[in-house]
Amino acid sequence: MWLINAFTGAIFLLSIVLSIPIAFDVGGRDAGLAYSLALFLFYVFYSTSKLLTPERSRVRWFGQKVIGWSQWVIIPGLLIWALGRFSVDSGTDWVARTVSEVVAKKATSWAEWFFGHEGVLETLALRAWDSSLSYSSPIFQLLEGFCSLLVIQAAGQITRWLVNRGRSDFWVLAFLVFSGSIISSALYFLWRVAHFPQINNLDATLIGVTMTCAFFLGAFGIGSGRGNPVESSLLFAYIVLCVYQIFTDYQPSAEAAAAAEAAAAAQPDFPPLPPIIMASYSTLLHMLSSVPTAVSSSFQFLYAAFQTITPSVLISLTYRIIVFYCATRIIPAVRELGARAIIEEPSFDENDGANKLLGFLSWFSPSMLIAVYTSLLLQHFTVSNNGDDVGWTLRAGDAGGNPWRWINIAATMGLYAIELYLGGDGDGGAHWKTD
């Protein structure tokens, strides 16, 4: 059963990841907003219906099955509806559009004026959804840092338990190697940040202060016994990730792309792999060329759909999905019931208020996923009106939010410092193994 749930969850995630940017890329901003809002409301209704019905009731079972299977029809249906109704992207702000197109429009009836196409309800709903996502971006950024800190602390608890229950030093050595690998990888990306051409004196100062604080926080945690090398290395890596996201969009600059092309042209025309491997590769390509046209077109469609998304959106979405899932499912399981609770549904019967909140959020995780993803896409949606280059794209524009990224870094390290300050002295098995 869990395998089927995992497969359907992966298909759902893929459909959301591909369909929302397609709506933005094909229909424009209004079409993408309408589609994401419709999906958001649909999954809010789905989650609320599951939450309000008894767990073992037949009504809940029947409704869950019907809505669950109907979503494979509803998702493409909503996409077609949004593209057919909202494919004209407005270049004016929502207030001007409301006044000029709703008030000046000669509607045949009051219902058409309020509920009809480009009516008051439709216009206000789209602009309210747009404004909500724009103002929610800082909240999502701060939640990412908070959930990342929860994941780091849960990883520290698991490593302490494994180290203290073992009779040998295997886990100690394994976690030391793991921590060293994490720190080495983080230092490599930090070295790459130091060579970015857009780094100025203020940026260099902020980076230096931030990484110094992260280093001393990790060193204090290890030295005092209130932390361990795994926690410190993960915290250091997350801070480097935030700094890296501030100064890059995971895309090569024009100078780097030109240098890569020049280096590739200067290389001699030798096969990259031994002949036997190249022959097997050619055979595989020949076999793939005989694949039916429908399958080939499907792969081309998937490739084109992924090309509409900037890499930073996919990386940020993947990371946030992982930390939000860990915060809502794995961390309460580790704190309360152990590893066996990871595969169980979240419950509201726990005494801990934090667990109740995380369990409540886990019920609405599909809606949260749609809101977070749409917010990330809107950060890269730009409209061009320069000469013949008129249109919109999801792979350009300033992602923005850099002040909030710095605030997130400071808040994450501040919370971790408070945790270390208020923590105990490591007695009772909470310490890293010292015997």
Side-chain angles (χ1 to χ4, degrees):
M1 180 61 66
W2 68 269
L3 185 60
I4 297 177
N5 293 334
F7 178 74
T8 55
I11 296 297
F12 160 75
L13 182 60
L14 182 64
S15 63
I16 296 299
V17 168
L18 294 181
S19 60
I20 294 181
I22 287 176
F24 276 102
D25 191 64
V26 176
R29 190 182 186 93
D30 287 348
L33 287 173
Y35 177 61
S36 64
L37 176 59
L39 284 178
F40 178 82
L41 294 178
F42 170 72
Y43 282 105
V44 165
F45 170 75
Y46 182 34
S47 301
T48 304
S49 63
K50 290 175 58 179
L51 189 61
L52 296 180
T53 53
E55 183 177 356
R56 299 184 181 275
S57 66
R58 295 182 179 181
V59 175
R60 175 177 179 177
W61 179 86
F62 179 76
Q64 184 176 352
K65 293 298 182 181
V66 171
I67 300 178
W69 285 107
S70 64
Q71 66 180 341
W72 308 114
V73 179
I74 292 177
I75 291 178
L78 291 177
L79 178 61
I80 296 173
W81 167 79
L83 292 177
R85 187 179 178 91
F86 300 94
S87 289
V88 178
D89 188 73
S90 175
T92 58
D93 62 283
W94 70 274
V95 178
R97 184 187 174 198
T98 304
V99 174
S100 63
E101 296 186 5
V102 176
V103 178
K105 180 181 177 181
K106 296 182 179 180
T108 58
S109 64
W110 179 88
E112 182 183 355
W113 175 79
F114 191 82
F115 296 104
H117 180 53
E118 296 182 350
V120 175
L121 180 62
E122 175 184 300
T123 304
L124 292 180
L126 290 182
R127 299 314 130 193
W129 178 240
D130 189 5
S131 301
S132 300
L133 293 176
S134 300
Y135 288 113
S136 299
S137 295
I139 299 177
F140 294 147
Q141 186 67 51
L142 295 177
L143 282 177
E144 174 194 307
F146 178 72
C147 292
S148 299
L149 187 58
L150 291 180
V151 172
I152 292 172
Q153 291 178 331
Q157 293 178 7
I158 294 174
T159 55
R160 289 190 190 96
W161 179 76
L162 289 174
V163 167
N164 288 322
R165 71 184 292 269
R167 298 182 179 180
S168 64
D169 293 333
F170 169 76
W171 288 112
V172 176
L173 297 177
F175 288 134
L176 286 178
V177 172
F178 173 76
S179 303
S181 303
I182 293 294
I183 293 177
S184 301
S185 302
L187 289 176
Y188 167 73
F189 285 100
L190 187 63
W191 172 82
R192 291 197 59 183
V193 171
H195 288 78
F196 287 161
Q198 66 269 27
I199 301 294
N200 54 33
N201 293 334
L202 178 61
D203 296 332
T205 303
L206 289 175
I207 294 174
V209 172
T210 300
M211 302 317 302
T212 302
C213 293
F215 173 79
F216 280 104
L217 270 179
F220 174 76
I222 296 174
S224 63
R226 300 173 183 179
N228 57 51
V230 174
E231 282 188 11
S232 301
S233 62
L234 292 177
L235 176 67
F236 187 82
Y238 177 67
I239 300 302
V240 172
L241 173 65
C242 293
V243 171
Y244 195 82
Q245 289 179 335
I246 290 174
F247 296 103
T248 184
D249 202 21
Y250 299 96
Q251 293 183 352
S253 60
E255 296 81 2
E261 292 180 0
Q267 290 292 332
D269 192 12
F270 288 121
L273 295 172
I276 185 174
I277 299 180
M278 293 302 299
S280 303
Y281 176 72
S282 302
T283 304
L284 179 62
L285 289 181
H286 178 71
M287 293 174 59
L288 291 178
S289 63
S290 61
V291 172
T293 307
V295 179
S296 177
S297 300
S298 301
F299 282 111
Q300 292 178 3
F301 171 76
L302 291 177
Y303 176 76
F306 277 111
Q307 286 298 106
T308 62
I309 314 172
T310 185
S312 64
V313 173
L314 291 177
I315 294 174
S316 299
L317 178 67
T318 303
Y319 180 78
R320 290 183 179 183
I321 288 175
I322 293 173
V323 296
F324 287 163
Y325 178 82
C326 292
T328 55
R329 295 297 296 274
I330 297 179
I331 293 174
V334 172
R335 293 176 59 187
E336 297 293 334
L337 302 176
R340 62 183 176 87
I342 296 176
I343 59 176
E344 297 180 0
E345 288 292 333
S347 174
F348 297 100
D349 298 332
E350 291 97 345
N351 297 324
D352 193 353
N355 282 356
K356 291 183 178 181
L357 176 61
L358 294 175
F360 176 80
L361 293 178
S362 67
W363 282 95
F364 293 91
S365 56
S367 303
M368 292 181 59
L369 168 65
I370 294 169
V372 171
Y373 188 36
T374 308
S375 175
L376 290 172
L377 290 174
L378 286 175
Q379 295 176 9
H380 295 271
F381 186 91
T382 56
V383 179
S384 176
N385 296 316
N386 299 326
D388 296 333
D389 187 17
V390 179
W392 51 78
T393 179
L394 286 169
R395 296 180 62 88
D398 184 11
N402 286 348
W404 286 103
R405 291 187 185 276
W406 286 115
I407 294 174
N408 174 47
I409 292 174
T412 302
M413 290 194 297
L415 287 176
Y416 188 71
I418 294 174
E419 180 71 19
L420 292 179
Y421 177 75
L422 297 178
D425 294 330
D427 45 345
H431 226 127
W432 187 264
K433 187 175 182 180
T434 56
D435 55 346

